[in-house]
Amino acid sequence: MSETAAHTAASVTDGGRQPRTARTAQATRTARTGRIVLRGLQVLLALFYAFASALPKLIAHPSAVESFDRIGWGSAGMYAIGALELAGAVALLVPVLQSVAAVALGALMIGAFVVQVTVFDGQNAATPLILLVPLALIAWARRGHNAELLRAVRRRRA
């Protein structure tokens, strides 16, 4: 079969659908767009966790101090949670850590939800639940990096 005939045969439409080459190109564009959107979501979440959530705790903003005193965890708990949120924000931007970071931040959000419901009578309890959705998406979509992380940890131990 000549090269032209092979190209024509490869691009023949199937039952009125797009040619195979067009479907492949469209799938590639869709996948690329999905990766870009997911990366943008990760950057937005990282900025949120670093500046809107961790920073007030780490600089002992009066509202954060008051909240942690009401919980009964004091400044040690406030600084610990702030440090965990900041570490999670940074890890969301590191390819090999993205999935693990999303899971860890998700666990923090479950804890935040429980605290909001039990200590603050449900005030702002929806926020951690809303944040769980994109975190779960990131954890699932970037789960392939977990094997890479595990290999790196095993190499380091050997």
Side-chain angles (χ1 to χ4, degrees):
M1 183 184 291
S2 72
E3 192 174 317
T4 306
H7 178 3
T8 304
S11 63
V12 171
T13 59
D14 297 326
R17 295 185 296 186
Q18 294 177 333
R20 283 189 187 119
T21 55
R23 282 195 313 254
T24 303
Q26 183 178 358
T28 302
R29 280 191 303 274
T30 302
R32 184 172 188 269
T33 301
R35 285 190 307 271
I36 290 169
V37 168
L38 188 62
R39 189 63 171 169
L41 181 62
Q42 287 175 240
V43 169
L44 285 174
L45 281 172
L47 289 171
F48 170 80
Y49 278 107
F51 294 107
S53 194
L55 186 63
K57 294 172 184 83
L58 294 174
I59 64 169
H61 189 273
S63 65
V65 171
E66 179 186 332
S67 294
F68 277 85
D69 284 343
R70 188 167 170 194
I71 296 169
W73 293 358
S75 61
M78 179 181 65
Y79 291 128
I81 298 295
L84 289 171
E85 289 175 338
L86 183 59
V90 172
L92 274 176
L93 303 177
V94 178
V96 74
L97 299 175
Q98 304 170 101
S99 180
V100 173
V103 169
L105 287 169
L108 275 176
M109 292 303 96
I110 291 169
F113 172 75
V114 170
V115 167
Q116 291 294 331
V117 169
T118 58
V119 177
F120 297 103
D121 300 322
Q123 183 182 8
N124 299 322
T127 303
L129 291 180
I130 291 167
L131 289 169
L132 273 173
V133 174
L135 289 170
L137 175 67
I138 292 166
W140 181 81
R142 303 296 194 196
R143 70 191 182 280
H145 291 287
N146 292 342
E148 186 180 336
L149 177 61
L150 188 58
R151 280 191 300 273
V153 168
R154 285 182 178 159
R155 270 194 310 263
R156 190 107 165 125
R157 293 167 104 197

